[in-house]
Amino acid sequence: MAEPITAVYVQEDDDWTITVSGLGKKLTARAPGIIAARDTTDQLVDKIAPEGRPTVVHLLNGSALAFTSAYMTARLTLPEAALAPIEIPPPGKPVKAQPKTPLATSKQLSKAVEEKRPVAPAQATKKNRAVPTPQKATTPPAAASKLA
């Protein structure tokens, strides 16, 4: 079994220090925020193990759960600008129209539809893609005897 790589995160004010160690190597970096720190960790892991996808254990205060909780909270928290109050105009006051975005042309729509079109089984085998084979519905023997 391959040796896991350990990434230890330490918060210092708004910045984070990351120490990545494994395979006899140890690298350290700083990043502004936990999301940037996680991205920096990926870069450090690539330097330690350039080939393959090693197992990386992310730790905050010695806990993978603490890191996951802090990271997911940061990822799922709305930015402060999005939390600004919505202005509701008083009744009877006209509302400013938002600028319209241009509509897609028929060529753009055709291309988008072509890209989303499902692959036929014959085409899939040519492109080495796996396509699920439809299964014929069968009635289990016990259920069939109850139906008769």
Side-chain angles (χ1 to χ4, degrees):
M1 186 165 113
E3 176 187 346
I5 294 175
T6 304
V8 177
Y9 298 78
V10 177
Q11 185 174 11
E12 298 172 3
D13 295 322
D14 290 336
D15 292 340
W16 290 78
T17 300
I18 313 106
T19 303
V20 178
S21 58
L23 305 175
K25 298 176 185 176
K26 186 174 184 178
L27 300 173
T28 302
R30 290 180 61 87
I34 193 166
I35 296 171
R38 176 63 177 81
D39 292 340
T40 302
T41 299
D42 287 341
Q43 295 168 3
L44 295 176
V45 168
D46 286 342
K47 290 179 182 178
I48 288 178
E51 295 183 22
R53 299 207 31 101
T55 300
V56 180
V57 179
H58 302 269
L59 301 174
L60 173 61
N61 300 327
S63 169
L65 179 60
F67 170 79
T68 303
S69 177
Y71 178 73
M72 293 308 295
T73 299
R75 293 291 295 193
L76 298 174
T77 302
L78 294 173
E80 288 183 27
L83 299 176
I86 299 172
E87 292 184 31
I88 301 174
K93 185 175 180 182
V95 179
K96 292 181 187 176
Q98 295 292 329
K100 292 186 178 181
T101 56
L103 295 175
T105 65
S106 61
K107 286 185 180 181
Q108 291 170 325
L109 289 174
S110 297
K111 184 178 180 184
V113 170
E114 284 296 321
E115 291 171 355
K116 301 273 185 202
R117 181 177 286 166
V119 178
Q123 293 172 326
T125 55
K126 291 178 186 175
K127 294 182 181 181
N128 294 329
R129 290 193 208 165
V131 174
T133 307
Q135 299 292 321
K136 184 177 180 182
T138 58
T139 305
S145 64
K146 291 179 183 177
L147 294 175

